[in-house]
Each structure stands twice: as structure tokens, then as C-alpha cells.
Amino acid sequence: MRADVVTIFPAYLEPLRLSLVGRAQERGTLDVRTHDLRAWTSDVHRTVDDAPYGGGPGMVMRPEPWDAALTEIAASDPDRRPRVVVPTPAGAPFTQSHAEELAREPWLVFCCGRYEGIDARVIDAWADDEISIGDYVLAGGEVATLVILEAVARLLPGVLGNSASAADDSFSDGLLEAPVYTRPQVWRGAEVPAVLRSGDHAAVARWRRTQALRRTLARRPDLVEHAELSDADRAVLEAVAAEPAEHVAATSGSVVGGATMVGRGSSMDLPDPA
Ligand code: JAH
């Protein structure tokens, strides 16, 4: 996959050299090219913004540099057309299915707006997707582009060492994942659940599925509606629904006042060791 990123801050995209995304680039699976929008300005001050028509605060990104940049980038490969993505808080919510769809594209172009955004005529002329990564306002689209590119890059063939881990993720089946543990067996007095040490793979799979269902019901009930559920899953959910609410909160975690409340048995409830 080729991904071009147009921004007035190319240095913001430098983290893409690191970790999994960086390795994908070294292997040739992903080719990220960042471009400074100011290269397509023609005035001495390399101006990319201007006052908004209709008044109001802030500045708007001028259409001409964007059109020149996108025209030149698109012309760099006349055999295909890139999918043009604009991160914006006004966009469609970014989800794992969106990431999967973008990962099937051979060529993406990200337009990173700043200030109050990009002149709407550029969006109308060029954007295939306007995407929001959440309901908050950033200083520009660069960080959202990093988020989208990381979510996409890890889905590219050969990027994850173990292709089972992508299929196994939270959201791949519409549910949150079960909690995970590693050594030591006892840490600050808290033991790793016995079933995970039992060697009984079927029992482990059942336990994880139950944990995934409990957690999703407690923390993200909105996800349960769209999840792919078996009859056994529905039976688990009915049993959980019959439990006292405090027990569910304490054993599955619940979101209260914006913070995840971690129940009894969590390391978070224990005092620091002396
Ligand atoms: C802010 C241009 N959904 C996250 C998000 C994405 C983009 C922006 N803000 C938030 C943004 C200013 C200018 C884009």
C-alpha cells in the first residue's frame, strides 16, 4: 500500500518510522510519503490560510495549494486513483470495519487540515472519505492520520507476526477482549485465574468468551447489539443480566463518570507495597 500525507507539519508523521508501521515500511509492505503543503504555495510567505467568508474566529485553509498538491500527487501514478481521506471531527466515526476497508486499498492520500479546516470546495472536489476518530477537537488532522494509518497498517498482509492476532482482536467480532495475564502467577497478592493455567484449551476458550461478553455488557453495552452472538453467548448474557448490578460492576468493570471503575480483585484496589 502507498499512503501520501499532505500536511504543514511533516514532522508530525515521523512516528510512522517506528514500531510495526516502521517495519512495514522497511519491508516494502507500506510506502508512506509525507508532503509539505507549503511546497504548493506561490507567495513569498508561503501562505496556506485566509480569513473565513462570513466572518467568525480563526482561519481557513486556502483551496489553491490543496488542489495543486492533490493534482500533482494523483498525477504521480496515472494508472490509478488514490482514495482521498480527510480527518475531521465532522466525519463519519472511524471503526475497525472502516480500517479493514481502507486496508484493501492500494493507495490512500490523507489531507491534514489545520486552523478551522480546509475550504469546503476542496473537500467536495477531492475527498472520498471524511473520517472522525472521536468526538473531540484536535489542533489538526495529523494525529488522526497517525491513528488511522496505524489501524490500517497492522491489517496489511504480513505486518502482524501472527495473523491470528488480528482476527482475534477486540472489535473483529464486535466484542471487547477478555483480560490478559502473564507471569508471575501471583503479583501483589493477585493470582492469575486458575483456568488459564489448567491446560484445558476448551475451558480457556469458554472462560475468555464469557469474560468478553461480561466486559462488553458492562462497559460498552452499545457494542452488544451489533455483535455476532451464538445461542451460548445469549445464555451467558441472560445469566449476567440476572446478577445483582454491583456484582457485575465489580467483576466486569463499568464505566461511571467517564472513568473505568475496576472491581474487587484488581491490583488498582490494593495499597502500594511498603
Ligand atoms: C482539527 C482540522 N476526530 C478527531 C479530529 C480530527 C481532525 C481534527 N480534529 C479532531 C481537526 C482542526 C483542523 C482537523
Side-chain angles (χ1 to χ4, degrees):
M1 169 185 284
R2 172 177 169 184
D4 290 80
V5 183
V6 185
T7 169
I8 60 168
F9 293 119
Y12 248 100
L13 283 301
E14 273 176 29
L16 293 172
R17 294 179 200 282
L18 305 172
S19 187
L20 167 146
V21 184
R23 238 170 297 126
Q25 292 199 72
E26 285 166 14
R27 291 178 66 250
T29 309
L30 178 65
D31 174 17
V32 181
R33 308 180 190 181
T34 60
H35 309 272
D36 186 343
L37 178 68
R38 291 190 201 276
W40 288 278
T41 57
S42 41
D43 63 312
V44 280
H45 295 109
R46 308 218 295 167
T47 312
V48 294
D49 62 332
D50 201 346
Y53 270 108
M59 298 290 269
V60 174
M61 294 192 104
R62 300 170 50 219
E64 299 94 328
W66 279 108
D67 191 60
L70 293 167
T71 299
E72 186 176 325
I73 291 166
S76 72
D77 184 351
D79 297 338
R80 45 189 190 171
R81 213 183 80 72
R83 186 153 168 178
V84 178
V85 177
V86 181
T88 161
F94 184 60
T95 62
Q96 190 65 23
S97 22
H98 222 125
E100 286 164 12
E101 190 182 320
L102 293 179
R104 291 192 289 267
E105 295 284 340
W107 188 11
L108 303 175
V109 174
F110 292 90
C111 303
C112 302
R114 282 266 145 182
Y115 317 110
E116 300 306 307
I118 304 170
D119 186 291
R121 294 167 292 182
V122 174
I123 312 299
D124 294 342
W126 282 98
D128 296 298
D129 303 89
E130 292 178 82
I131 297 180
S132 168
I133 62 158
D135 293 339
Y136 37 79
V137 182
L138 300 168
E142 287 78 6
V143 169
T145 295
L146 288 173
V147 167
I148 295 165
L149 264 178
E150 182 166 305
V152 168
R154 63 185 290 288
L155 298 176
L156 298 177
V159 169
L160 284 190
N162 171 11
S163 66
S165 39
D168 235 47
D169 279 333
S170 281
F171 305 117
S172 59
D173 62 359
L175 295 175
L176 304 182
E177 291 282 270
V180 295
Y181 299 86
T182 187
R183 289 178 287 191
Q185 187 181 323
V186 180
W187 183 74
R188 293 196 189 181
E191 185 146 49
V192 173
V195 62
L196 297 179
R197 298 179 283 110
S198 68
D200 182 342
H201 301 301
V204 168
R206 280 194 305 271
W207 181 87
R208 286 187 173 148
R209 187 70 183 177
T210 300
Q211 291 296 312
L213 290 162
R214 296 185 73 95
R215 277 187 146 187
T216 309
L217 192 63
R219 301 173 182 200
R220 293 294 307 277
D222 57 305
L223 294 180
V224 175
E225 344 240 298
H226 301 101
E228 281 253 337
L229 300 175
S230 66
D231 290 346
D233 292 336
R234 281 179 227 286
V236 169
L237 288 172
E238 276 177 38
V240 176
E243 293 174 9
E246 321 83 72
H247 181 254
V248 178
T251 55
S252 315
S254 60
V255 177
V256 176
T260 300
M261 307 299 285
V262 179
R264 260 176 289 112
S266 163
S267 60
M268 289 184 68
D269 295 324
L270 293 171
D272 286 316

